Amino acid sequence: MNKNIYIVEDEPDILALIQLKLNEAGFRTKGFERAEPLFKHLITEYPDLILLDLMLPDMDGMEVCRKLKSDAATEKIPVVMLTARCDLEDKVKGLEFGADDYITKPFEAKELVARLKAVIRRSGWEIAKNVLTINPDFIIDFNRYEILIRNVRLDVTLTEFKILQLLTKRPGWVYNRSQILDYLWGTDKVVIERTIDVHIRNLREKLGYFAYMIKNTRGVGYYFFTKPNED
Ligand code: CA
């Protein structure tokens, strides 16, 4: 699978150029012109690396880096800082905030690609987890879209599977109905939020004993609970 790079850069020309160069080098890319949509995206998808501009309109790049590195869900994603500044002080500060590397503009496309590859290799951050073993009796195979309960394959719909896939990305994290809808259907959703409740009810029914792992926070949404059942 091609590595997926998120690029946060507010200058559209530079963003387009970086995307072009990285795509040519075989990376998949997603561009963000501000920090806020990046964080929104990280709720449902993790990239292999984040290339982060230091000067952004809505948040300082250092602050973005600090926020990423202080959240258990995102701390392992490698971050490479991209900036026009070449002060030693800024470099040191960036690395102190947890950045994995630092690239100064203007840069050579070849150097950028080589550095990103090196950081990804070195980081050991692996997002392509294909099989999730919640416990020996409850296994999810993301490649084959299969849920195995005591070695028996559950007959779930693709929607039910994707809901479980989302909830298990961050156990304990409450996803609201609108985030679940975004994950399932993107922006062209035509269904109402209550539809989620119906899918969840069906999924819980199919999970049988393990239904307790899908919890509801009243008025907010749903989350995945991995601890053993105490009832
Ligand atoms: Ca900038």
Side-chain angles (χ1 to χ4, degrees):
M1 259 284 256
N2 292 348
K3 298 292 183 189
N4 188 16
I5 312 277
Y6 280 6
I7 306 154
V8 194
E9 165 63 75
D10 59 314
E11 283 163 68
D13 291 352
I14 298 179
L15 177 59
L17 179 69
I18 295 174
Q19 286 196 278
L20 176 72
K21 294 299 178 187
L22 294 186
N23 292 342
E24 280 175 2
F27 290 111
R28 286 180 295 136
T29 58
K30 197 168 272 170
F32 302 89
E33 292 186 13
R34 290 180 307 115
E36 191 258 321
L38 166 78
F39 284 106
K40 201 175 163 213
H41 234 83
L42 287 172
I43 293 170
T44 49
E45 190 193 60
Y46 294 145
D48 291 282
L49 183 144
I50 298 170
L51 184 59
L52 177 65
D53 185 32
L54 200 52
M55 308 280 269
L56 296 167
D58 61 336
M59 203 181 204
D60 186 84
M62 296 283 188
E63 182 55 24
V64 175
C65 186
R66 195 197 56 75
K67 203 173 158 191
L68 289 169
K69 295 296 183 179
S70 59
D71 180 344
T74 54
E75 66 181 357
K76 292 198 175 68
I77 304 172
V79 174
V80 173
M81 295 276 222
L82 182 65
T83 179
R85 297 181 197 169
C86 52
D87 285 62
L88 181 65
E89 199 180 307
D90 279 333
K91 284 190 193 183
V92 173
K93 204 172 154 201
L95 297 174
E96 268 174 8
F97 280 156
D100 297 85
D101 202 354
Y102 213 100
I103 290 172
T104 311
K105 292 186 224 171
F107 52 85
E108 289 284 329
K110 263 188 183 168
E111 193 208 344
L112 177 67
V113 168
R115 295 272 282 277
L116 298 192
K117 282 184 178 167
V119 170
I120 289 172
R121 205 167 45 234
R122 218 169 51 213
S123 72
W125 163 244
E126 188 56 78
I127 53 167
K129 257 194 179 175
N130 297 323
V131 177
L132 178 65
T133 305
I134 292 155
N135 64 53
D137 289 333
F138 186 1
I139 295 169
I140 306 172
D141 186 328
F142 295 113
N143 271 351
R144 301 161 84 168
Y145 287 87
E146 281 183 358
I147 300 169
L148 298 166
I149 301 279
R150 298 188 183 92
N151 289 321
V152 177
R153 186 179 179 275
L154 284 196
D155 186 19
V156 292
T157 64
L158 182 60
T159 300
E160 289 158 4
F161 185 89
K162 287 182 81 175
I163 290 174
L164 189 62
Q165 183 175 38
L166 177 66
L167 297 184
T168 54
K169 271 178 196 286
R170 284 187 175 198
W173 175 277
V174 182
Y175 289 90
N176 63 42
R177 290 179 180 81
S178 136
Q179 287 168 336
I180 297 173
L181 283 180
D182 278 351
Y183 183 70
L184 293 173
W185 292 290
T187 47
D188 46 36
K189 59 196 174 202
V190 287
V191 287
I192 53 164
E193 294 192 354
R194 289 288 153 195
T195 313
I196 295 299
D197 301 337
V198 176
H199 290 298
I200 295 262
R201 193 166 65 229
N202 293 338
L203 177 60
R204 271 180 174 154
E205 226 161 74
K206 292 176 184 177
L207 288 175
Y209 173 79
F210 294 110
Y212 78 91
M213 287 188 167
I214 297 180
K215 298 246 188 233
N216 175 239
T217 300
R218 202 169 292 276
V220 186
Y222 294 94
Y223 67 98
F224 193 72
F225 177 79
T226 48
K227 298 208 180 69
N229 196 357
E230 284 163 1
D231 298 343

